[in-house]
Amino acid sequence: MSNEKQESILILDFGSQYTQLIARRVRELNVYCEIHPYNHAEKALKELAGIKGVILSGSPFSVHDKDAPLVKLDEIRGKMPLLGVCYGAQLMALEWGGKVGKSSTREYGRAHLKMVDAKNELVAGMSSETQVWMSHADTILELPEKAKLVASTEDVAAAAFSFNGEKVWGIQFHPEVYHTTEGAKLLKNFVVGICGCSQNWTAASFIDTTVNDLKEKIGNDKVVLGLSGGVDSSVAAVLLNKAIGKNLYCIFVDNGLLRKDEFESVLESYKHMGLNVKGVDAKQHFYRELAGIEDPEKKRKAIGRVFIEVFDAESHQIEDVKWLAQGTIYPDVIESVSVKGPSMTIKSHHNVGGLPDHMKLKIVEPLRSLFKDEVRRVGKALNIDDALLGRHPFPGPGLAIRILGDITADKVKLLQEADAVFINNLKAAGLYDKVWQAGAILLPVRSVGVMGDERTYENVVALRAVTSTDGMTADWCHLPYEVLGKISNDIINKVKGINRVVYDISSKPPATIEWE
């Protein structure tokens, strides 16, 4: 499954909020794909081997904007199949002689296709009047001379078109979103039927190819890896262990910001997995460096810096280490590429970059091509324990970004206790595996309460629980009231210093999953 040998689809990103969804849908067909910014197109076409087709994403821009993202489509046309989605379709139409202008009505939301050419291979097998999702202000007013109409809707004359005798299509709706009910069928028609991809990109093939690649790349060199207790670093460690065995040295740092008893329990589970792991207690070092810092970004930077200091000191105790392994996954890679429009960097990432020059280690990232759910599937194929694979995602900076304001050891202990009550109740109610991510947040707020006959003035915690598939978007969980009631009572009664519990009912977007 290394992209040097694998068939692939190239997705050029013009900044659409849905671009990653296109990639997810292609991956669900067991076909490898990569997202590259539109302005890296030439480089991507040279470097990504085995390209069987190209998809152009949507964009928040208009093709007529002064700074509209543009790409030389003639370098792709005729060499491989091409599918333009929304902005991508409008760009093709404009570049090849058609007309694009403002739509007379805002074309946003559900619509129904009327097939003009139901036999066209892009829409073959799709139902008449199938529902699609529109999201654009411009529309194609006139098709290029060699283009022919494939489908329309009530408001959009050129909802889908193709070019006579060419493997080129444009669609003004989004097949990747849930509301386009047969979008998966259309994408399969393009990726499998038109591009001829063989659908052989599976967890098993990924493991075989990656282990072989790691053996070849690393040889007899030593590799050091920072474990976090999470799914990504654990799967990366097992893959590397499979490839290089005892030449992998794992370091698990207790930054004092983990969940209650997590350092001891996770360290024990790693030893049972046959990994060569050293645990390092660095709690006080982190607390000292975080003292008085309230700004979320400064907290992240401080934690990243101290982690590197601790990790560097530990790795220097291992002789002749040549490689640093990281559990970087694909969304980290995409979000860390900041160009005009696409994939703006939202926050500092713990895994991507940030290493001091003096470490002079080569980087190996076995999971950098995978989304989170794909990492879990690979972990399952590696027979990693379900309890570890099913663990909720946990942020790199840990509880530091769930404590709003400055960090102290007392605040961490308070939040650890409240968080443990929350998570244990979810497990007891059989709800933990139905939630993507859950945690308690300590607010910089104190509220008046009454306990017995005494008036209290104590801390407030917010509970956060969301459902998601990859963390890119998320909905708040509709947990049963009786479960929320029990959690609230247990926290207030068992955790001294908290007298009020609230529940966060915000979705992402517009809110993020974490509060900082």
Side-chain angles (χ1 to χ4, degrees), residues 3 9-11 19-20 23-24 27 32-37 48 201 232 327-337 343 349 352 367-372 374-375 472:
N3 58 20
I9 296 291
L10 170 62
I11 299 165
T19 303
Q20 290 196 34
R24 295 296 312 283
R27 298 277 185 94
Y32 184 72
C33 65
E34 285 188 11
I35 298 169
H36 288 263
L48 182 60
W201 194 72
D232 303 335
T328 309
I329 63 172
Y330 201 38
D332 297 338
V333 176
I334 298 166
E335 286 188 18
S336 296
V337 176
S343 307
H349 277 283
V352 180
L367 308 177
R368 70 177 284 120
S369 64
L370 301 185
F371 286 102
K372 176 72 83 172
E374 293 169 334
V375 175
M472 294 295 118

Side-chain angles (χ1 to χ4, degrees), residues 2-135:
S2 123
N3 58 20
E4 293 168 349
K5 303 163 189 166
Q6 189 69 38
E7 294 175 344
S8 58
I9 296 291
L10 170 62
I11 299 165
L12 292 180
D13 180 20
F14 293 94
S16 168
Q17 61 180 319
Y18 301 135
T19 303
Q20 290 196 34
L21 273 181
I22 300 174
R24 295 296 312 283
R25 299 294 173 255
V26 173
R27 298 277 185 94
E28 283 164 9
L29 295 167
N30 291 333
V31 173
Y32 184 72
C33 65
E34 285 188 11
I35 298 169
H36 288 263
Y38 72 93
N39 53 1
H40 296 185
E42 199 174 329
K43 185 168 177 271
L45 285 163
K46 284 178 187 167
E47 291 181 2
L48 182 60
I51 301 175
K52 304 279 282 184
V54 177
I55 298 175
L56 310 178
S57 84
S59 176
F61 290 90
S62 160
V63 290
H64 295 298
D65 284 349
K66 184 184 169 190
D67 295 326
L70 304 173
V71 70
K72 293 174 184 174
L73 296 176
D74 285 334
E75 292 181 8
I76 303 167
R77 187 178 180 180
K79 294 176 184 173
M80 60 193 71
L82 177 62
L83 173 65
V85 175
C86 199
Y87 176 92
Q90 293 163 3
L91 185 63
M92 291 193 312
L94 187 69
E95 187 164 314
W96 294 328
K99 286 186 183 172
V100 176
K102 289 289 174 200
S103 174
S104 55
T105 59
R106 187 163 178 247
E107 292 163 357
Y108 181 84
R110 292 174 179 82
H112 292 88
L113 285 189
K114 296 184 186 342
M115 299 297 183
V116 177
D117 182 3
K119 291 182 180 174
N120 187 284
E121 52 193 320
L122 185 70
V123 295
M126 290 174 67
S127 316
S128 58
E129 297 288 314
T130 188
Q131 180 180 287
V132 296
W133 183 260
M134 296 285 183
S135 180

